[in-house]
Amino acid sequence: MKALFKNVKIFGIFLVALSLLVSLSGLPLAAFAQTSTETDFMNIMNAQRISLGKNSLAINSSLSTAAYLHSKDMAENNYFSHTSQDGRTMVQRVTAAGYTNWTSLAENIAYCYGAPDATTVYNMWKNSPGHYANMIGDFTDAGLGVYTLNNYTYYTLDFGKSRTPIPPPAPNFSLSASPSVFNIVAGTSTISTITITSINSFIGTIGLNNALVPAGWTVTFAPTSLAIGSGGSGASMLSITVPSTAQTGIYTFNVVGTSGTISHSGTVTVNIKGIQNAPSAPQNFKATAGNAQVALAWSSPLNNGASVTLSYRVYRRTASTPPTLLMTLGNVSSYNDSAVANGQTYYYTVTAVNSAGESPKSSEVYATPIAPAAMVFNVAVKTNSPTYSRGSYGNVTVTVAGSSAGTQVAGALVNVKFNYPNGAAAGTISLTTDANGNAQFYFSIGPSAQLGTYIITATASQTGYQIGTGQATFTVN
């Protein structure tokens, strides 16, 4: 794996992965100070882990110490291995540094030319399946050790999973009411569903009650208690009957669920109003076309009919079809219709609904979704010198920019290919552009490299762009 090409070698791929699950012990060593490179690297790695639904890793001073000492030893003694020159393994080095209460360990190592850079080494390991598997693996702690000597930087990343158990969260339950707000008139009844849900394997019986019921009102639960199994849920119907003599206004009921020392509550609000009417039509209805979608937005009706708006209904038609109900929404003011085809014109109306009925339809709006034209990549390939001698080093920078605005593009996949002067393929490498749209790597020219002109071809791709290609040449003489 140390020679991508016969005579041209890319330093960034000198990587080795190892994951061990054995137990040794040792004596702790003095911890080394955390570096900015280590902090930056951990932030990048943890952001990726969180995006995959995994836990963040904590920086452990013992792992940092073991990693630093191994990077220093490799640099000063000019070797590259998971086994130290004195025969110590990664497990022995980590436990000797004081990380002893673990169930699994792993280690990534790398070196490259240049100053310490967290993004560079992260991308090197991310593009290697074994090292990437360690970085998103089942661990709790990590430490990155960095050491630079003679313009070469060595990196060691040690992982560990602590044996210390995390106590399980205490059993509990949640209580919710649906709906929790009513707008009714005096002399009528309504029902709310009270749902109890087990949290953290809760098992028990929850009693339900309600305090401070106004005179003349009837408030009952059916049933009055719920037996909940681990991970399960149950529901009780809360019935509220409002007397005809009730005054207009807002009444709030506090529903309480109790099981032993655990108690949770929720509120149900009843708004008593006079005679209600359906609302007027929603206002300021707009449709904005996008790529395979239409964004709809509107404002509340001028007249809500003496009742809160409960929902909105969106209707849609085409030039050749009648309007049909597309979606019933809650009390919101926007909706994205993604069940559309580019190039087809769609016509929309929206209505508001309260407890008394549905409003008239709004004014009709229309939009035609259309796919945006794909932008073309501009790819520039540059070497730090047009000519090299045998036994020398070189640097390649690939810059990827969007053709429409000329802006540099981050996160583009760049595949780079080398060809010998005789046209034969020398090898390939895959990179990802950084925040400035650049992908950079180093290579060395062997002592017996072919003389003549080498060709470097870089191809960039990313969703939303057409593939772009760029070339550069250099001469070995």
Side-chain angles (χ1 to χ4, degrees):
M1 193 174 177
K2 288 191 177 181
L4 271 186
F5 317 135
K6 184 176 181 181
N7 292 313
V8 181
K9 297 185 290 185
I10 308 303
F11 280 93
I13 57 84
F14 287 169
L15 308 173
V16 180
L18 180 66
S19 181
L20 300 177
L21 293 173
V22 297
S23 177
L24 296 172
S25 62
L27 298 175
L29 302 175
F32 288 82
Q34 181 178 326
T35 66
S36 61
T37 303
E38 181 180 29
T39 302
D40 293 343
F41 180 90
M42 293 292 290
N43 288 338
I44 296 170
M45 182 172 64
N46 279 333
Q48 176 69 4
R49 291 178 63 90
I50 292 171
S51 72
L52 298 174
K54 298 179 179 294
N55 62 294
S56 295
L57 300 186
I59 295 178
N60 181 276
S61 60
S62 295
L63 292 177
S64 297
T65 298
Y68 171 80
L69 291 175
H70 189 53
S71 292
K72 181 175 183 292
D73 190 50
M74 288 191 295
E76 292 180 344
N77 293 288
N78 193 27
Y79 74 95
F80 186 70
S81 173
H82 288 283
T83 302
S84 302
Q85 285 197 323
D86 60 5
R88 290 185 304 153
T89 65
M90 176 267 292
V91 175
Q92 291 170 317
R93 288 186 274 102
V94 167
T95 53
Y99 193 77
T100 57
N101 191 27
W102 52 266
T103 59
S104 61
L105 297 173
E107 182 175 83
N108 288 357
I109 59 175
Y111 77 94
C112 65
Y113 186 81
D117 184 79
T119 301
T120 295
V121 71
Y122 175 80
N123 287 331
M124 289 163 60
W125 282 328
K126 185 179 180 182
N127 290 324
S128 172
H131 301 87
Y132 183 63
N134 282 343
M135 291 197 296
I136 63 171
D138 183 20
F139 300 105
T140 58
D141 309 300
L144 178 70
V146 182
Y147 192 82
T148 301
L149 183 66
N150 298 328
N151 290 326
Y152 281 88
T153 299
Y154 286 74
Y155 302 88
T156 301
L157 177 62
D158 285 330
F159 301 90
K161 183 175 182 180
S162 173
R163 192 188 301 274
T164 303
I166 300 174
N172 208 329
F173 66 85
S174 64
L175 182 152
S176 63
S178 180
S180 59
V181 177
F182 297 94
N183 293 278
I184 59 177
V185 296
T188 60
S189 300
T190 189
I191 294 176
S192 177
T193 301
I194 307 301
T195 301
I196 303 294
T197 302
S198 169
I199 300 175
N200 302 330
S201 303
F202 171 86
I203 300 175
T205 299
I206 295 94
L208 298 170
N209 65 84
N210 181 85
L212 303 176
V213 177
W217 290 57
T218 301
V219 178
T220 60
F221 294 95
T224 57
S225 64
L226 295 169
I228 306 298
S230 175
S233 62
S236 174
M237 297 297 106
L238 170 64
S239 299
I240 301 175
T241 301
V242 183
S244 59
T245 56
Q247 299 294 313
T248 59
I250 297 175
Y251 299 79
T252 300
F253 297 89
N254 193 38
V255 179
V256 181
T258 303
S259 178
T261 60
I262 306 174
S263 180
H264 293 288
S265 64
T267 59
V268 175
T269 301
V270 179
N271 187 12
I272 305 301
K273 292 192 174 184
I275 299 176
Q276 301 172 4
N277 298 301
S280 59
Q283 307 177 83
N284 304 317
F285 191 31
K286 296 179 181 179
T288 303
N291 179 22
Q293 67 173 0
V294 176
L296 304 173
W298 57 87
S299 300
S300 302
L302 280 175
N303 185 348
N304 64 6
S307 177
V308 297
T309 300
L310 301 176
S311 62
Y312 287 93
R313 296 175 181 171
V314 178
Y315 296 84
R316 186 182 74 183
R317 72 176 181 88
T318 65
S320 58
T321 61
T324 58
L325 178 63
L326 173 64
M327 186 65 63
T328 297
L329 308 167
N331 189 6
V332 297
S333 59
S334 63
Y335 174 69
N336 281 341
D337 182 11
S338 58
V340 296
N342 287 332
Q344 171 70 57
T345 300
Y346 297 89
Y347 301 82
Y348 300 89
T349 52
V350 63
T351 63
V353 180
N354 64 11
S355 58
E358 183 177 10
S359 76
K361 290 182 177 179
S362 68
S363 56
E364 188 175 64
V365 297
Y366 64 91
T368 306
I370 186 171
M375 293 184 286
V376 180
F377 271 145
N378 287 326
V379 181
V381 184
K382 183 180 179 181
T383 61
N384 65 327
S385 174
T387 61
Y388 302 95
S389 59
R390 288 173 171 172
S392 64
Y393 299 89
N395 170 273
V396 176
T397 300
V398 180
T399 301
V400 179
S403 60
S404 60
T407 55
Q408 294 176 323
V409 179
L413 176 63
V414 178
N415 292 311
V416 182
K417 179 177 66 173
F418 278 71
N419 286 90
Y420 291 117
N422 63 6
T428 62
I429 185 170
S430 294
L431 305 163
T432 302
T433 55
D434 60 19
N436 296 316
N438 295 321
Q440 187 180 58
F441 62 92
Y442 296 87
F443 63 92
S444 65
I445 308 299
S448 59
Q450 290 183 23
L451 300 179
T453 300
Y454 289 71
I455 299 176
I456 306 173
T457 304
T459 302
S461 60
Q462 190 180 67
T463 302
Y465 290 87
Q466 295 183 20
I467 293 175
T469 301
Q471 282 191 340
T473 63
F474 64 87
T475 301
V476 175
N477 53 27

